[in-house]
Amino acid sequence: GATGNFHIIIASFLDEDMAADYAGELAGAGNSPTIVPPFGKALTTRVAIKSFSSLANAQQEIGDFKGEYGNDIWVLKY
């Protein structure tokens, strides 16, 4: 279920298998991704590159990931 953490989301998929495959690629590259299942009105399974216990920490580090993953990444509480 929900963790109450803040996740930096870099991708979202309608197909959860594709989300799992992408998370596997990220993990293989040395990352620690988190899969966020659909909740609320969202239909997509999202992949987070990193998770934080506070919004401030997530916002502080999101810039570090924009260079690699683009400006469309965002912080999601789940």
Side-chain angles (χ1 to χ4, degrees):
T3 61
N5 288 339
F6 296 87
H7 306 278
I8 295 178
I9 305 297
I10 59 167
S12 57
F13 299 90
L14 282 169
D15 182 330
E16 66 182 286
D17 289 338
M18 288 176 68
D21 289 347
Y22 185 56
E25 288 174 29
L26 292 169
N31 297 293
S32 300
T34 302
I35 293 178
V36 178
F39 70 95
K41 293 183 177 176
L43 301 175
T44 54
T45 299
R46 285 155 293 197
V47 178
I49 189 72
K50 196 168 179 184
S51 303
F52 302 86
S53 56
S54 80
L55 178 59
N57 289 353
Q59 288 175 328
Q60 197 174 341
E61 285 201 40
I62 193 168
D64 298 344
F65 294 102
K66 286 187 175 180
E68 190 169 350
Y69 300 104
N71 289 326
D72 291 337
I73 66 177
W74 77 98
V75 175
L76 176 71
K77 184 177 184 185
Y78 173 71

